[in-house]
Amino acid sequence: MGSRTGPYHRGELEVQRRAGVREEAERIGRGVSTVLTPAAVEMMAEHRLAVAASLDAEGWVWASFLTGPAGFLRPVDRRLMLIGAHPRSSDPLSRNLEVRPELGLLAIDLSTRNRLRFNGRALHDPERGIFLAVDQVYGNCPKYIQARQFEAARPGPGDPQPLRSSLPDQRQRRLIAAADTFFIASSHPEGGPDASHRGGAPGFVRFLDERTLAFGDYRGNNMYNTLGNLVVQPRAGLLFPEFDSGATLQLRGTACLDWDPAVVASFRGARGAVVVFEIEETLETPGAGVSGGLVERSPANP
């Protein structure tokens, strides 16, 4: 989301204008709250999965999973929530919370397609979990979420160690090319990091070369939080869950928007722009994510 002086920052406004949705975005932006509303608290009580967007010491953006039983996201008061979970010591989120308090959080229920966004500043308590002082709270539509049974992956003894590389291997590229779901973390210098969901039919993410992937932007809530962030700050993080094995594939890199109509037309269902992401680093971790069988693909998928 935007700076703390208003609902939208320069990048979001620029993309909204280019897409011709400024009036609608302004209307929707009035629903952004600075406190935990009763409706948000009610929804939080059902969630068992969240995606955290965080910044490392060098300013790179990472997306990470946090899981727990229903109720692990709970209010302390109207401005403070407790995430009753701890990041794995091998996940970038663990180190990032030590150096940067800014945190974006997407709470998402894959079975009901409900999702909530939180942005604010966090403190990790080694005993109780992560406290998040919220600046922005708002809901998102259920579009493009594939309905799935949900289960937190069960890693073996000890903290699973990630396989680190500067490029995805062939197996990882196949995983990405077959994905129907991933998560993207972006950031703004004033507004901080933000976590968002992306979904579509398998193949909606494609490789342009061994280091570069791309995906089209689909019609959503017209706020353009993620694309607006990328206009201002190109660093981003992607998180691909492997629902069969429970592994996670985290990517960090830089993203840009391609507005060429011919390029956009080559991505079925895309409107306005295509996001092009250049990979700088990959982390694959066994048993660190979520698993769950597909129940129904989103009826909104192009």
Side-chain angles (χ1 to χ4, degrees):
M1 210 6 146
S3 72
R4 289 173 171 78
T5 59
Y8 298 117
H9 61 65
R10 175 181 62 80
E12 292 164 329
L13 293 172
E14 178 181 328
V15 179
Q16 291 165 10
R17 291 191 188 100
R18 189 157 189 171
V21 296
R22 271 296 299 132
E23 289 187 9
E24 184 174 356
E26 196 66 28
R27 177 181 59 79
I28 295 172
R30 298 188 193 109
V32 177
S33 175
T34 58
V35 298
L36 298 169
T37 64
V41 170
E42 182 178 356
M43 289 181 65
M44 286 165 55
E46 303 299 323
H47 286 287
R48 296 184 291 150
L49 170 65
V51 179
S54 63
L55 299 167
D56 68 18
E58 297 179 347
W60 290 102
V61 192
W62 292 90
S64 307
F65 276 137
L66 290 168
T67 61
F72 89 110
L73 304 176
R74 55 187 181 271
V76 177
D77 58 35
R78 297 184 73 215
R79 293 297 304 273
L80 184 67
M81 65 183 289
L82 173 62
I83 306 164
H86 300 279
R88 294 175 292 101
S89 61
S90 61
D91 191 286
L93 178 61
S94 178
R95 299 186 299 277
N96 295 352
L97 288 174
E98 296 176 1
V99 297
R100 297 287 296 263
E102 304 98 320
L103 189 75
L105 194 75
L106 171 72
I108 185 166
D109 187 327
L110 296 176
S111 61
T112 64
R113 299 188 171 109
N114 287 331
R115 52 179 162 171
L116 279 168
R117 301 266 276 275
F118 307 87
N119 296 297
R121 299 172 72 83
L123 175 67
H124 183 209
D125 183 318
E127 294 184 359
R128 290 175 288 180
I130 302 169
F131 288 94
L132 178 63
V134 300
D135 291 324
Q136 295 169 331
V137 181
Y138 56 108
N140 278 163
C141 72
K143 284 183 177 179
Y144 317 116
I145 300 176
Q146 327 307 331
R148 274 191 164 83
Q149 299 171 338
F150 170 83
E151 183 178 346
R154 296 175 180 169
D159 191 15
Q161 295 303 303
L163 175 65
R164 190 182 301 264
S165 176
S166 61
L167 283 174
D169 59 27
Q170 289 186 355
R171 179 182 53 80
Q172 292 168 337
R173 288 198 293 271
R174 287 195 297 269
L175 165 66
I176 292 170
D180 61 19
T181 299
F182 74 93
F183 302 91
I184 180 168
S186 60
S187 72
H188 181 270
E190 297 174 27
D194 177 78
S196 184
H197 163 276
R198 290 294 184 271
F204 83 109
V205 183
R206 69 178 69 158
F207 274 91
L208 305 182
D209 57 44
E210 64 177 4
R211 185 179 293 278
T212 310
L213 58 82
F215 55 93
D217 179 62
Y218 298 157
R219 180 173 295 277
N221 60 13
N222 290 327
M223 297 172 82
Y224 285 109
N225 306 136
T226 299
L227 269 60
N229 283 347
L230 296 178
V231 167
V232 177
Q233 167 54 270
R235 290 183 174 183
L238 307 185
L239 171 59
F240 286 86
E242 210 296 303
F243 289 109
D244 292 332
S245 70
T248 62
L249 180 61
Q250 294 164 283
L251 311 177
R252 72 167 174 91
T254 56
C256 65
L257 306 185
D258 191 335
W259 295 90
D260 185 332
V263 174
V264 175
S266 70
F267 285 77
R268 183 178 179 182
R271 58 96 187 243
V274 166
V275 179
V276 180
F277 183 84
E278 185 172 348
I279 299 167
E280 295 288 338
E281 184 178 14
T282 73
L283 292 179
E284 183 178 9
T285 310
V290 297
S291 58
L294 179 68
V295 176
E296 179 192 30
R297 296 207 187 277
S298 171
N301 286 348

